[in-house]
Amino acid sequence: MRYPDHLSKIIQVLKRLPGVGNKSAERFAFHLLTWPEEQLKELGAVVASAKEQLKHCSSCGCLMDSAGCLFCLSPKRNPNILCVLASPKDVFSIEETHSYDGLYHVLGGLLSPLERMGPEHLSLDMLKERLVHHQVKEVVIALDSTLEGDATALFLKQELENYPLQISRLAFGLPMGSSLDYVDGGTLARALSGRGDF
Ligand SMILES: [Zn+2]
C-alpha cells in the first residue's frame, strides 16, 4: 500500500509497539488522524516527557515520578518481605491483587543466554545489600513460569542460600475458571506439586 510519506512514518512508528502488526498500525494511524490537533499534541507531549518524568527508584527499581517511590517511602509497607520481579510492570500486576503489603525488588530482566542476559545484567548487588541493611526475613520470587523464569529463580535461590531468609516462589496452578480437560500437562503437574491444604 502506497501511503503519503508522513502517514507511512506514523504506521512504521506504531508497529514498534508489541503485538501491533501492519493492519493494527494502519487502523491506529487513521484513527489518530481523526483526533483534534490539541489531543495529538497532548499525546506527543506525554510520550516525549515519559523518560524525564518517570525514573527507576535507585533502591527497588520500581517506576516513580517526582513524588518519590510509592513503595520504599510508604510507612504502610512491611519492609521484612521483598517480592522479587523481572520488570517494573510486574509490580503493578501484584499490586492489583491487593494481597501483598511488602516491598519490591525489580531485577531488570530474566537470565537468557540467547538474549545475552547474564547475571551481571540483574540488580543482584542491590538486592543483597537490601537484604542485609533492611533485615529482610522473606523473599518471594515472582518470576514467569518459563524456561528463563525458572532458570532465574533457581539462580536466585542459589545466590541467596547463605542468607537467613525464607525463600518462596509464587505457586503455579490452574487458571481461574478452567476445566482440567483444557489444561496442559505441564501446568497440571505444577499445580499438583504446588498443592496446598484444603
Ligand atoms: Zn523504591
Side-chain angles (χ1 to χ4, degrees):
M1 183 64 69
R2 178 96 176 102
Y3 287 125
D5 283 350
H6 197 75
L7 183 55
S8 290
K9 202 170 173 182
I10 298 174
I11 292 168
Q12 291 310 314
V13 169
L14 290 170
K15 272 171 61 181
R16 291 181 201 155
L17 292 167
V20 176
N22 252 329
K23 282 285 158 206
S24 299
E26 283 169 14
R27 197 156 41 87
F28 292 153
F30 277 100
H31 180 78
L32 284 172
L33 293 179
T34 67
W35 285 19
E37 195 174 342
E38 277 304 295
Q39 288 184 17
L40 286 174
K41 280 184 178 161
E42 188 187 358
L43 174 69
V46 289
V47 173
S49 60
K51 287 275 176 189
E52 189 189 322
Q53 297 294 328
L54 294 167
K55 306 274 185 215
H56 294 276
C57 169
S58 59
S59 179
C60 73
C62 293
L63 278 176
M64 62 175 203
D65 57 19
S66 56
C69 181
L70 281 174
F71 309 107
C72 293
L73 295 179
S74 168
K76 291 183 183 154
R77 311 293 301 205
N78 178 356
N80 299 132
I81 308 182
L82 272 192
C83 179
V84 179
L85 313 104
S87 83
K89 182 175 172 291
D90 300 333
V91 171
F92 297 99
S93 306
I94 300 283
E95 281 295 290
E96 245 179 87
T97 67
H98 300 289
S99 314
Y100 179 75
D101 70 348
L103 294 179
Y104 292 103
H105 192 85
V106 176
L107 285 177
L110 293 172
L111 295 178
S112 168
L114 276 180
E115 289 173 35
R116 296 195 180 150
M117 272 292 286
E120 70 278 13
H121 294 103
L122 307 180
S123 63
L124 210 60
D125 293 343
M126 178 54 90
L127 172 62
K128 289 176 177 173
E129 201 182 307
R130 292 181 78 196
L131 295 181
V132 174
H133 283 100
H134 297 90
Q135 292 152 10
V136 176
K137 295 188 174 76
E138 184 181 354
V139 163
V140 181
I141 299 177
L143 301 175
D144 293 350
S145 173
T146 57
L147 268 180
E148 290 84 0
D150 288 351
T152 311
L154 200 64
F155 170 75
L156 275 179
K157 198 179 161 201
Q158 288 162 355
E159 285 288 313
L160 305 182
E161 67 184 354
N162 292 326
Y163 291 79
L165 279 174
Q166 186 188 337
I167 302 177
S168 54
R169 192 175 178 196
L170 291 191
F172 295 98
L174 306 176
M176 289 288 283
S178 63
S179 151
L180 290 191
D181 272 355
Y182 293 99
V183 176
D184 67 278
T187 304
L188 203 50
R190 274 235 158 142
L192 258 178
S193 68
R195 68 189 180 276
D197 287 338
F198 183 60

